Amino acid sequence: MPVVILISGSGSNLQSIIDGVQAGDLPIDIRAVISNQAEAHGLQRAKAAGIHTEVVNHRDYPSREDFDRALQAAIDAHEPALVILAGFMRILSHAFVEHYLGRMLNIHPALLPHFPGLNTHERALQDGVQEHGATVHFVTTEVDGGPRVLQARVPVRAGDSPDDLAARVLEQEHRIFPQAIRWFAEGRLKMQYDKVLLDDKPLPTSGIDFADIPADSAD
Ligand code: GAR
């Protein structure tokens, strides 16, 4: 299944997807990795894996809509069946999101609907929550509000810094994102209106808890 992956930074989620493909666990063809930041480390990871890379720099465009149009043209040139937002840190316009409705997945570093937006780990610590985590969801016009596919939970420990928590959450991101992408590539995962269907059955609104997936089918 042809996919295009969008990144803005380190690309550790991208790496987990590349690793899945290289291990023969993920039936996708990464046609391109596109970044809005020329210096994103993820571009080096993609190049090291022999994947085509492009930069579409938002600073080169007068408006969000102009940037999104250029980004859409760059993506569509590769005819992806799925667009993967792997740490892509731009808010997307409604027209862009609607163009990819039902075929764009995002990973968010919090247990949505808690902590949408930025600085999720700092905010989780400030709020004193005992549990934090990550969510894979389909992208809709509501920022971080699309139907949820998978969540993974981590404990918040006394004395955690935002970086401690980020590292614990990232480890789980690297498990749940490839899993959701695999389901989509296998034709098992679909978005229908505001619901997610897995094997034609609607998921609960919070999505599936990764801990509930039997170990032998999870990786
Ligand atoms: C990840 O934690 C991802 O969930 C988050 O950015 C990080 C990217 O890390 N995404 C968002 O906050 C989207 N709003 P990575 O570049 O190492 O994959």
Side-chain angles (χ1 to χ4, degrees), residues 7-15 42 45 85-90 106-110 117-121 134-135 143-144 166 169-170 173-174:
I7 62 165
S8 298
S10 152
S12 72
N13 277 288
L14 166 67
Q15 189 66 56
R45 298 181 190 262
L85 306 185
F88 187 66
M89 304 304 284
R90 299 290 303 168
N106 181 46
I107 184 127
H108 182 77
L118 298 176
N119 305 318
T120 58
H121 309 306
T135 305
V143 176
D144 297 326
V169 170
L170 265 180
E173 293 187 34
H174 301 159

Side-chain angles (χ1 to χ4, degrees), residues 6-46:
L6 305 188
I7 62 165
S8 298
S10 152
S12 72
N13 277 288
L14 166 67
Q15 189 66 56
S16 72
I17 299 165
I18 293 172
D19 292 348
V21 173
Q22 290 179 343
D25 289 338
L26 214 40
I28 59 172
D29 173 18
I30 307 173
R31 294 271 174 89
V33 169
I34 303 178
S35 174
N36 65 311
Q37 303 278 6
E39 66 283 6
H41 176 62
L43 291 170
Q44 305 312 318
R45 298 181 190 262

Side-chain angles (χ1 to χ4, degrees), residues 60-73:
D60 293 344
Y61 298 89
S63 70
R64 186 181 301 285
E65 286 70 23
D66 286 310
F67 167 68
D68 283 3
R69 269 192 291 275
L71 183 61
Q72 185 175 317

Side-chain angles (χ1 to χ4, degrees), residues 41-195:
H41 176 62
L43 291 170
Q44 305 312 318
R45 298 181 190 262
K47 284 179 189 154
I51 298 166
H52 172 78
T53 63
E54 289 172 39
V55 174
V56 183
N57 187 335
H58 57 278
R59 296 178 197 86
D60 293 344
Y61 298 89
S63 70
R64 186 181 301 285
E65 286 70 23
D66 286 310
F67 167 68
D68 283 3
R69 269 192 291 275
L71 183 61
Q72 185 175 317
I75 294 169
D76 286 353
H78 302 285
E79 301 183 343
L82 178 67
V83 175
I84 298 170
L85 306 185
F88 187 66
M89 304 304 284
R90 299 290 303 168
I91 303 273
L92 297 161
S93 60
H94 285 199
F96 182 95
V97 170
E98 269 154 23
H99 181 67
Y100 298 108
L101 207 59
R103 53 189 182 112
M104 183 153 64
L105 288 172
N106 181 46
I107 184 127
H108 182 77
L111 293 172
L112 291 170
H114 304 292
F115 309 117
L118 298 176
N119 305 318
T120 58
H121 309 306
E122 288 85 344
R123 287 156 59 210
L125 290 173
Q126 272 162 17
D127 278 18
V129 296
Q130 298 191 339
E131 201 175 47
H132 188 46
T135 305
V136 178
H137 65 95
F138 280 99
V139 178
T140 62
T141 52
E142 189 190 338
V143 176
D144 297 326
R148 301 188 271 278
V149 176
L150 257 177
Q151 292 195 314
R153 295 162 193 284
V154 302
V156 178
R157 302 206 175 104
D160 268 348
S161 68
D163 284 350
D164 296 332
L165 200 47
R168 201 173 301 133
V169 170
L170 265 180
E171 210 176 292
Q172 297 305 313
E173 293 187 34
H174 301 159
R175 305 179 75 194
I176 63 176
F177 213 10
Q179 174 68 75
I181 293 164
R182 184 178 315 115
W183 282 336
F184 191 92
E186 291 170 347
R188 298 176 58 192
L189 184 71
K190 294 190 176 66
M191 182 178 123
Q192 201 171 65
Y193 304 106
D194 59 346
K195 291 215 155 24

